[in-house]
């Protein structure tokens, strides 16, 4: 039995997951940010109690806890060097959480946790070379080769969101550079280009939405595109072009058997996926033209906690 | 004692290498191409005899043979699916060579062998996350994560040469696409752009060379640049720009601790390396700005045979 915390900038998704990857209980709470990391550790304690009550198990049955963090993680030490959205810098998460929870604690980047989850019980089942892309506010990524997570120097592996897709003339990115994939294909980018499209096409569904709500979100773009709105479709077409380009570039590095695309920004489904696949094949080696590589994620919000359980199991086995 | 064959389109570099990575004897012969793969296997037998004589050892002291192939290799089976420059397609190399040499035979892509060599005894010593780029006629690459070679689907991992650096308007590549890194930063690309620069700058050293020899090679560009020829330097500057860009993109995938650049096309040394490093940092995450990541290869032509010995050792240990 593993206690899993998938910490995001907005919510903590937590769950009790068994050794088969079955989620016995889960619970989502708002992340208390802006203060000390200790606040979050206290939330872990409260969540443990609630989850144990719900699943009717004693805390003593928990063998380990696993924590996913949206930031740079030193996996060997369980230290978070930087997590911008949480406001954390140099926090010894494994050490502190372990002292509070009295079980071994393992820490991993949240996108890596999702990748492990999809490999174990999701769209990457049976595959040991995998790239997992999460399209949210930003674009995250998890890389698995030879069945193992690639963490990379300073935990930077899988930062596909900062693959530069516009070599010149790109929009500024949160990372301090310009033209990163995140500026073209994240949910925020869909919102940005959605508003541009709304203004350029005053008769579009996007324009109606903008007039009604005062803003456009990635989700709104996806919905309008599904209803056939051309302005919304052009926004998805742009995202798919750069997504296909970046994934083709990434493919030349590890040649994954499967590229799994998930996250809220992937809500547009096949309207985003199909043109992405087309551009991917246009930009990559002719040899792989016929192979189905890019697939949608299947675990949804559970990918993180399922992957966290897998991490705990792999680490306990290796000890 | 391992018998190592680094097969190229032009030469076979062979060597007897011990378990410490010391090369006891080596020999280079022209590759007999255009015919059957069997010709090459016969060359292996001849080379074994010559190497054993030179090192004064009996063939019985050889524990295994390792073969590097410039093409796509299924490492599990030792099968070469395609090796364009050798004219091979679907050759069961391990099976056939093993029957001829009477020892276990392991097969790997040549760029991967060089990467293993550099990790074991070269510029990547002590590092278990490495990207190794070989700038030759084409641009090859080897990727190591968690201390192990990433072979990738269809052996396509590390095909950085086909990372598309010109999303539109690129030159045609041998792979059937356009705008691949190979079309901007290989030795052939240096030669192509060298001739263009010679024509555009009739007073340059490159123009003199073109008039004298009727052609320009990558080596000539490197030499002219060292002598201060501006036309030659602009050719290197272009290659460095795209090399830096592609390496920054590749970095977002596995975040290697070291990127090792070798091969004949890297003969320009720091004149190519320094601007590459500058562009790499310009195009990649601000966080790694201060770190020395890109370094020149140190094993030169021996990287392949040294890495092949490492492969044999790793595989024998795993059996």
């Amino acid at each position: 039995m593993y206690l899993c915390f998938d910490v995001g900038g907005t919510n903590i998704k937590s769950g009790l997951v068994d050794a088969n990857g079955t989620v016995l209980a889960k619970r989502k709470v708002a992340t208390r940010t802006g203060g000390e990391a200790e606040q979050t550790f206290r939330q872990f304690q409260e969540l443990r109690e609630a989850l144990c009550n719900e699943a009717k198990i004693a805390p003593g049955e928990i063998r380990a806890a696993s924590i996913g963090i949206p930031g740079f993680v030193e996996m060997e030490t369980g230290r978070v060097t930087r997590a911008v959205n949480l406001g954390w810098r140099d926090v010894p998460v494994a050490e502190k959480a372990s002292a509070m929870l009295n079980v071994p604690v393992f820490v991993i980047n949240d996108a890596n946790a999702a990748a492990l989850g999809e490999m174990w019980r999701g769209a990457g089942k049976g595959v040991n070379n995998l790239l997992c892309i999460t399209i949210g506010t930003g674009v995250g990524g998890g890389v698995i080769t030879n069945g193992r997570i690639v963490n990379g120097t300073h935990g930077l592996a899988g930062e596909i969101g900062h693959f530069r897709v516009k070599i010149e003339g790109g929009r500024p990115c949160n990372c301090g550079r310009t033209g990163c994939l995140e500026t073209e294909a994240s949910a925020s980018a869909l919102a940005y280009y959605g508003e541009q499209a709304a203004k350029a096409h005053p008769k579009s569904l996007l324009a109606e939405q903008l007039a009604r709500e005062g803003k456009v979100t990635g989700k709104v773009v996806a919905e309008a595109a599904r209803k056939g709105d051309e302005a919304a479709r052009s926004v998805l077409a742009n995202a798919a072009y750069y997504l296909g380009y970046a994934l083709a570039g990434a493919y030349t590095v590890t040649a994954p058997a499967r590229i799994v695309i998930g996250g809220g920004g992937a809500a547009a489904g096949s309207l985003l996926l199909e043109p992405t696949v087309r551009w991917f094949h246009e930009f990559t080696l002719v040899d792989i033209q016929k192979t189905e590589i890019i697939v949608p994620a299947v675990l949804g919000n559970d990918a993180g906690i399922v992957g966290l359980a897998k991490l705990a199991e792999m680490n306990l086995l290796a000890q």
Side-chain angles (χ1 to χ4, degrees), chain A:
Chain A
M1 194 78 66
Y2 306 114
L3 182 61
C4 305
F5 301 107
D6 185 2
V7 182
T10 312
N11 293 306
I12 300 175
K13 289 167 222 143
S14 66
L16 274 171
V17 185
D18 73 13
N20 296 317
T22 307
V23 180
L24 303 173
K26 60 180 173 177
R27 187 167 282 247
K28 191 164 87 171
V29 297
T31 313
R32 290 182 208 136
T33 48
E36 297 295 310
E38 269 66 27
Q39 287 191 15
T40 310
F41 299 144
R42 273 192 295 277
Q43 288 188 286
F44 292 165
Q45 282 185 308
E46 295 160 19
L47 285 165
R48 174 175 60 177
E49 207 184 317
L51 290 167
C52 284
N53 284 343
E54 189 182 330
K56 296 189 176 45
I57 69 154
E61 291 179 57
I62 294 168
R63 291 183 57 209
S66 251
I67 303 173
I69 298 286
F72 305 141
V73 177
E74 279 178 18
M75 288 181 75
E76 302 75 21
T77 59
R79 203 179 176 84
V80 171
T81 53
R82 194 152 76 102
V84 179
N85 293 333
L86 301 176
W88 294 8
R89 194 177 267 278
D90 274 321
V91 180
V93 174
E95 189 190 317
K96 295 209 167 177
S98 174
M100 238 167 184
L101 299 169
N102 294 311
V103 287
V105 170
F106 308 108
V107 188
I108 189 170
N109 169 274
D110 59 347
N112 286 346
L116 275 180
E118 291 289 345
M119 176 180 81
W120 192 28
R121 286 285 171 261
K125 219 165 163 177
V127 155
N128 72 358
N129 187 349
L130 189 73
L131 172 60
C132 202
I133 301 289
T134 310
I135 303 179
T137 314
V139 174
V143 179
I144 291 171
T145 58
N146 298 312
R148 290 177 59 191
I149 277 289
V150 181
N151 197 41
T153 312
H154 309 305
L156 288 169
E159 287 292 336
I160 304 290
H162 303 289
F163 184 111
R164 187 158 175 147
V165 292
K166 283 193 167 172
I167 196 163
E168 276 163 7
R171 296 170 55 223
C173 181
N174 286 334
C175 77
R177 301 294 190 197
T178 60
C180 296
L181 176 61
E182 227 168 79
T183 67
E184 297 296 322
S186 61
S188 331
L190 293 180
Y192 172 85
Y193 284 112
E195 289 198 13
Q196 303 291 106
K199 288 169 192 165
H201 303 278
K203 290 184 181 160
S204 64
L205 287 178
L206 288 184
E208 275 178 36
Q209 183 73 24
L210 183 60
R212 199 182 323 123
E213 306 280 341
K215 66 171 185 173
V216 166
T217 64
K219 213 174 148 192
V220 162
V221 171
E223 278 162 15
R226 249 195 302 274
K227 289 178 188 156
D229 189 56
E230 286 303 323
R233 291 199 169 183
S234 72
V235 173
L236 292 181
N238 176 71
Y241 179 74
Y242 289 109
L243 199 51
Y245 174 65
L247 294 179
Y251 189 88
T252 66
V253 183
T254 57
R258 204 81 42 87
I259 296 174
V260 179
I261 301 189
S270 62
L271 285 173
L272 179 65
L273 214 62
E274 275 171 22
T276 299
V277 168
R278 210 165 53 241
W279 285 116
F280 171 78
H281 284 294
E282 178 66 31
F283 289 139
T284 197
L285 285 163
V286 177
D287 301 68
I288 58 161
Q289 220 160 1
K290 303 276 178 256
T291 325
E292 189 187 48
I293 296 172
I294 300 178
V295 295
V298 303
L299 295 181
N301 281 333
D302 286 353
I305 55 173
V306 171
L308 287 165
K310 181 67 179 173
L311 174 75
E313 186 166 87
M314 286 167 81
N315 283 350
L316 289 177
L317 276 176
Q319 273 175 355

